Amino acid sequence: MPMSSSGTRVLTLAFAPALAASLFATPSLANDYYAGKTIELLVGAPPGGGYDIYARTVARHFGRHIPGNPTIVVKNMPGAGSAKAAQYIQGIAPKDGTSLAGVMPGAIMGPLLDDRTAPMFDPTKVRYIGTANSGTRVCTTMKGSKIASFADAQKVKAKFGGSSPNDSTYEYGYLHKHTSGAIFDIVAGYRGTAEMALAMERGEIDGLCGWDWSSFKSQKPEWLRDGKANVLLQASVDPNPELTKMGVPTVFQFIKDEEARKVVELVISQTVFHRSYIAPPETPPAQIEVLRKAFDATMADKEFLADAERTRVDIEPLSGAKVQEVVAKLYAAPPAIVERARKAIRPD
């Protein structure tokens, strides 16, 4: 028998609570997922360096933009130019959206430019939440050094500090040596730019390359303020306006060979994702979406930007989806250029 219109209304009313619950279940779960949770943010660098400063600045504001307002706990996991933290995120960390890592670009480029790291970490599989800065790296010496310009570095032998493979201070030193004619001796083994800056002040080394310009300014503002440093060279895809105004030449002014130029472009293109934050490959898409939106909101947050200015860190963000796309393109580079780049960033 057909149901009357009044019967239909009764049936509809009877199922209305269940229907409403089903309609609103997903947003409610999304909003509640991070409530009471802690997100562990690993920093693939030692305390006190530029990557640590950035991560802690981001962490102070990131949680406010995630529904449920989770606590963000920052921990340092230095080692192998952030490769240790990257490998942990891919293979060991919880895959539920509560583990992130801030890694150096060298860790992301490492498997492309160093066959030994490829089996342990696949940068095309991890999920990128975003990058806080698209940066520029510099070569620098102290005033009074025998190396006052990059032209001097092409004529006078000098000791330049470095950390380890996958770290920019190590790789950029060799890159400039092999493509721009610098005659550096790279003294490796330092635990970050803070330690290398101290070595420069003590006269143990003449300088270093691959220092992030933003980190330089936040770590050693007095060097600029008091005119204690020579900035020899800037390396980035596009010239940095501040450094250009200071008269600092770009790396491309010292490269004559077109193939060497392509090698340098490949290596320094990593500065596009200068301060990247990654999540495990298996992190659920819903959590990736929440984290990416929260990261983008943090980068536009006035309180965060004011904090970044106080901390003297530059903010030039890129979305997680865009970083994912850039990394995929880099890993599709021509094999001949990749092979020459591998040789350019390592000892002879």
Side-chain angles (χ1 to χ4, degrees), residues 7-306:
T8 302
R9 284 197 298 273
V10 170
L11 184 63
T12 302
L13 289 172
F15 281 94
L19 178 63
S22 67
L23 287 173
F24 293 102
T26 301
S28 176
L29 286 173
N31 289 335
D32 293 345
Y33 181 80
Y34 281 105
K37 285 186 168 65
T38 295
I39 294 177
E40 183 178 66
L41 174 55
L42 300 175
V43 183
Y51 284 85
D52 186 56
I53 292 169
Y54 263 90
R56 292 179 188 277
T57 305
V58 170
R60 286 195 287 272
H61 304 270
F62 189 33
R64 289 190 286 107
H65 296 282
I66 300 174
N69 302 118
T71 300
I72 311 293
V73 175
V74 180
K75 297 180 181 179
N76 294 85
M77 186 181 281
S82 288
K84 182 178 178 181
Q87 291 163 15
Y88 174 85
I89 282 292
Q90 178 163 322
I92 301 173
K95 294 155 178 61
D96 58 359
T98 63
S99 291
L100 302 174
V103 296
M104 299 178 182
I108 297 170
M109 294 292 285
L112 178 65
L113 300 177
D114 185 351
D115 287 334
R116 294 170 299 176
T117 65
M120 298 180 281
F121 173 55
D122 187 344
T124 65
K125 290 183 178 178
V126 293
R127 308 303 295 164
Y128 295 86
I129 304 305
T131 182
N133 185 235
S134 300
T136 301
R137 286 168 168 162
V138 297
C139 293
T140 184
T141 60
M142 301 291 290
K143 288 290 184 183
S145 167
K146 60 188 177 184
I147 308 297
S149 68
F150 195 79
D152 291 336
Q154 294 175 309
K155 302 170 187 173
V156 181
K157 200 164 189 177
K159 292 181 180 179
F160 270 55
S163 181
S164 61
N166 294 332
D167 184 86
S168 61
T169 58
Y170 181 96
E171 295 185 345
Y172 277 50
Y174 283 112
L175 179 71
H176 299 320
K177 181 176 180 177
H178 293 144
T179 61
S180 298
I183 49 177
F184 303 141
D185 280 336
I186 306 301
V187 182
Y190 288 98
R191 294 185 69 253
T193 51
E195 193 173 293
M196 280 177 260
L198 185 59
M200 288 170 64
E201 290 174 326
R202 290 173 174 168
E204 295 171 10
I205 55 175
D206 295 292
L208 68 95
C209 287
W211 198 349
D212 301 322
W213 175 236
S214 56
S215 296
F216 177 94
K217 292 190 291 182
S218 63
Q219 290 177 272
K220 288 294 179 182
E222 72 279 8
W223 283 15
L224 285 176
R225 184 192 65 224
D226 301 335
K228 293 182 176 181
N230 303 306
V231 184
L232 313 180
L233 180 80
Q234 57 169 307
S236 59
V237 175
D238 297 309
N240 179 286
E242 183 180 15
L243 288 164
T244 300
K245 189 175 180 180
M246 291 168 57
V248 179
T250 73
V251 62
F252 297 109
Q253 292 175 236
F254 300 96
I255 298 173
K256 308 300 182 184
D257 177 355
E258 183 56 31
E259 188 171 298
R261 185 183 186 89
K262 291 179 181 178
V263 166
V264 172
E265 286 175 348
L266 175 64
V267 174
I268 69 174
S269 62
Q270 62 189 267
T271 59
V272 173
F273 44 86
H274 215 41
R275 312 280 177 176
S276 291
Y277 298 89
I278 61 174
E282 300 87 350
T283 304
Q287 272 66 67
I288 294 297
E289 183 179 358
V290 167
L291 292 169
R292 283 180 170 177
K293 285 183 178 179
F295 185 85
D296 292 345
T298 302
M299 295 299 103
D301 185 293
K302 290 182 179 179
E303 289 183 35
F304 166 72
L305 292 173

